[in-house]
Coordinates of all heavy atoms in Angstrom, one line a residue:
A41 N 14.4 -20.4 14.1 CA 15.5 -21.4 14.2 C 15.5 -22.3 13.0 O 16.5 -22.8 12.5 CB 15.5 -22.1 15.5
P101 N 18.2 -2.8 14.0 CA 16.9 -2.3 14.5 C 15.8 -2.3 13.4 O 16.1 -1.9 12.2 CB 17.2 -0.8 14.9 CG 18.7 -0.9 15.3 CD 19.3 -1.9 14.3
I116 N 6.9 4.5 -5.4 CA 6.2 3.8 -6.5 C 4.7 3.8 -6.2 O 3.9 3.9 -7.1 CB 6.7 2.4 -6.7 CG1 6.5 1.5 -5.4 CG2 8.1 2.3 -7.1 CD1 6.8 0.0 -5.6
T148 N -16.8 -1.6 -20.5 CA -17.1 -2.0 -19.1 C -16.8 -3.5 -18.8 O -16.3 -3.8 -17.8 CB -18.6 -1.7 -18.8 OG1 -18.9 -0.3 -19.1 CG2 -19.0 -2.0 -17.4
F283 N 9.8 -7.8 -8.8 CA 10.8 -6.9 -9.4 C 12.0 -6.8 -8.5 O 12.9 -5.9 -8.8 CB 10.2 -5.6 -9.7 CG 9.2 -5.6 -10.8 CD1 7.8 -5.5 -10.5 CD2 9.5 -5.8 -12.1 CE1 6.8 -5.5 -11.4 CE2 8.5 -5.8 -13.1 CZ 7.2 -5.7 -12.8
I312 N -0.9 -0.8 8.8 CA -2.2 -0.6 9.6 C -2.3 0.9 9.9 O -3.4 1.5 9.6 CB -2.2 -1.4 10.9 CG1 -2.3 -2.9 10.5 CG2 -3.4 -0.9 11.7 CD1 -2.1 -3.8 11.7
G336 N -17.8 16.6 11.4 CA -18.3 16.4 12.8 C -19.8 16.4 12.9 O -20.4 16.3 13.9

Side-chain angles (χ1 to χ4, degrees):
I116 64 173
T148 303
F283 295 102
I312 292 168

